[in-house]
Amino acid sequence: MKAVRLEATGELRLREIAKPVPDARELLVRVEACGICGTDRHLFHGEFPSKPPVTLGHEFTGIVEEVGASVRGFARGMRITGDPNISCGRCAECQRGRVNLCVNLQAIGIHRDGGFADYVIVPEKQAFALPDDLDPVHGAFCEPLACCLHGVDLAEIRTGSSVIVLGGGVIGLLVVQLARLAGATSVVLITRSAEKRRLGKTLGATATADPGDSDIVERVISQDGLLPGGADVVIECAGVAETIEQAPALARRGGTVVILGVMPQGAKVTIEPFDLLFREIRLIGSFVNPFTHRRAAELIASGAINVEPLISRRIGLSEAIEAIANPARPGEIRALVVPHLG
Ligand SMILES: [Zn+2]
Ligand SMILES: [Zn+2]
C-alpha cells in the first residue's frame, strides 16, 4: 500500500509499504479521508514532538476491512472515525481521569502510523461508528471537532455567554458553531480574512472584526464597542503570538481565556501577570480530546455541525507531501487527503 512517511524532520516521502496486519484488539481500516492539519506542518518542520519514521495523518475516517480475533464492537464494512490519542490507563494522570495528559500518550499519525495511507490500524477502543450514509470527508472532521469540544468544555460557556473567537481557520469556525450550540448569544469572530469573516457569520458568529484594524481591543471592549467590558470567554484558535497576547485584554473581569491554537514548541509571548491577577483572568490551555470523540462523532453524524463550507480541496496521497510541506494556500480552510484519488 501507499503511505506518506515522515522519514526525518523536513523529509516526507510517498512510499510503498506492507499492508499492516491488525492484532487481536485492532481494526484494519481502509482510509476514505484524512484532514491535513497545522500539526502535520509542525511535525514536518520539527516544531512538534514525534518519532519518525512514521506515517502522518491523525484526522481520518474509513471503512473497517478486517477485525482482530477479540474485537466485538465492530464488523467488516462499518464506517468509523478514529480517536488518534491512545492513553495508557495506568499512569498517575490517567488514574486521575486526565487521559489527554497521559505520560505515555501515543498518537496515531504522530508516534505510530496514521491515515495518510491506503490503510491504518486502529485499536478497537479508539474507534467510533459513523453512519453508512455520511459523506466520509465529513467524518474526517471528528478529530478537530473533538479537540474544540474540550476547549469549549474548559471555557464553561453558558446560555447567554459572550464569546470571542480569535482565528478563522477550521478550529475557529468549529468553535464558533460549538459556542452557539452551547448557548452563547454573542459570538465575535476576529480574523484577518474577509472571506472567513463572511463565512463565520453564516456559521453563527453574531459579529466579526479584523485584528489588523487599529486598536482592535478598544473597538471590542470600549463602552460603544462590540462587547463593552470584554467577553466572558475568549478562545484563541489561531496559534499566533499577537492574538495570544491580545486575548486577556479582550476578556471581561473574571473572564476566561482558553489557548486552543498550537504555537511552535519553544515560541514565547508577552503577558502581563498584574493584569491577570488584578482582573482575575483564568488563562487555561486545552490539549487534544479527552473523552470528547464520541460526542464529536455524534455531532458530525447528526449534522448539527456544518463542515461542508470548511472543505477547501480534496487531494490524493501523491499531492499530500506538497500540501503538508507548504503553508495552507491563501483562503484555504481544510485540505483533505482522499487516498483513492491517487
Ligand atoms: Zn489535527
Ligand atoms: Zn497514562
Side-chain angles (χ1 to χ4, degrees):
M1 68 164 195
K2 287 194 163 50
V4 175
R5 307 277 290 169
L6 182 69
E7 305 278 357
T9 294
E11 194 187 334
L12 272 175
R13 298 265 182 270
L14 182 61
R15 292 233 186 270
E16 190 66 41
I17 61 169
K19 187 169 156 181
V21 177
D23 78 14
R25 293 176 206 284
E26 292 175 339
L27 315 173
L28 175 70
V29 175
R30 179 169 50 79
V31 178
E32 294 181 294
C34 186
I36 296 178
C37 163
T39 301
D40 295 310
R41 298 191 172 100
H42 287 312
L43 287 162
F44 174 76
H45 292 291
E47 298 166 343
F48 194 98
S50 75
K51 221 174 111 187
V54 70
T55 303
L56 297 186
H58 57 274
E59 302 183 357
F60 55 85
T61 189
I63 300 290
V64 176
E65 172 118 339
E66 209 180 309
V67 299
S70 307
V71 170
R72 293 291 171 265
F74 295 89
R76 183 182 159 87
M78 289 174 73
R79 174 169 291 126
I80 63 112
T81 161
D83 170 2
N85 297 301
I86 306 171
S87 53
C88 75
R90 294 287 307 156
C91 73
E93 301 311 328
C94 281
Q95 289 291 304
R96 287 186 190 106
R98 307 290 300 274
V99 292
N100 56 325
L101 307 181
C102 172
V103 293
N104 302 309
L105 197 69
Q106 293 284 306
I108 301 172
I110 294 172
H111 309 97
R112 50 185 276 170
D113 289 344
F116 295 140
D118 293 316
Y119 295 91
V120 62
I121 293 284
V122 184
E124 180 183 18
K125 72 181 181 76
Q126 304 298 125
F128 297 88
L130 288 173
D132 294 338
D133 60 356
L134 186 78
D135 180 340
V137 171
H138 293 186
F141 284 85
C142 290
E143 198 276 342
L145 183 63
C147 296
C148 294
L149 265 174
H150 181 47
V152 166
D153 286 350
L154 288 173
E156 296 178 355
I157 295 171
R158 297 180 185 187
T159 311
S161 287
S162 56
V163 177
I164 291 174
V165 178
L166 292 162
V170 70
I171 298 297
L173 292 169
L174 290 172
V175 166
V176 163
Q177 297 183 64
L178 287 175
R180 289 308 298 268
L181 284 175
T185 41
S186 299
V187 178
V188 179
L189 173 66
I190 302 183
T191 180
R192 281 186 190 281
S193 156
E195 177 58 24
K196 288 172 180 169
R197 292 198 297 273
R198 189 200 58 74
L199 181 56
K201 278 203 164 165
T202 72
L203 295 174
T206 53
T208 61
D210 182 346
D213 285 358
S214 59
D215 223 353
I216 177 70
V217 173
E218 266 311 298
R219 283 200 46 222
V220 174
I221 69 168
S222 65
Q223 272 322 303
D224 53 357
L226 291 168
L227 290 173
D232 297 320
V233 168
V234 179
I235 305 188
E236 204 287 334
C237 304
V240 170
E242 185 187 5
T243 49
I244 291 174
E245 288 175 345
Q246 281 171 355
L250 292 166
R252 68 160 169 79
R253 290 173 168 236
T256 297
V257 174
V258 176
I259 305 292
L260 201 51
V262 181
M263 283 192 63
Q265 194 174 26
K268 301 276 196 294
V269 299
T270 303
I271 296 275
E272 186 187 349
F274 181 82
D275 179 54
L276 299 184
L277 172 146
F278 192 71
R279 298 193 303 122
E280 224 174 72
I281 302 296
R282 210 161 56 109
L283 176 62
I284 43 188
S286 175
F287 184 57
V288 298
N289 57 343
F291 303 119
T292 52
H293 208 91
R294 182 183 295 277
R295 285 160 64 204
E298 284 166 1
L299 284 162
I300 294 289
S302 68
I305 297 287
N306 185 3
V307 296
E308 189 60 36
L310 310 183
I311 301 166
S312 306
R313 54 182 173 139
R314 293 165 168 82
I315 60 176
L317 285 170
S318 54
E319 298 159 273
I321 291 171
E322 184 269 332
I324 296 165
N326 292 292
R329 291 177 178 180
E332 182 165 280
I333 299 173
R334 195 53 121 210
L336 288 112
V337 175
V338 176
H340 75 74
L341 289 179

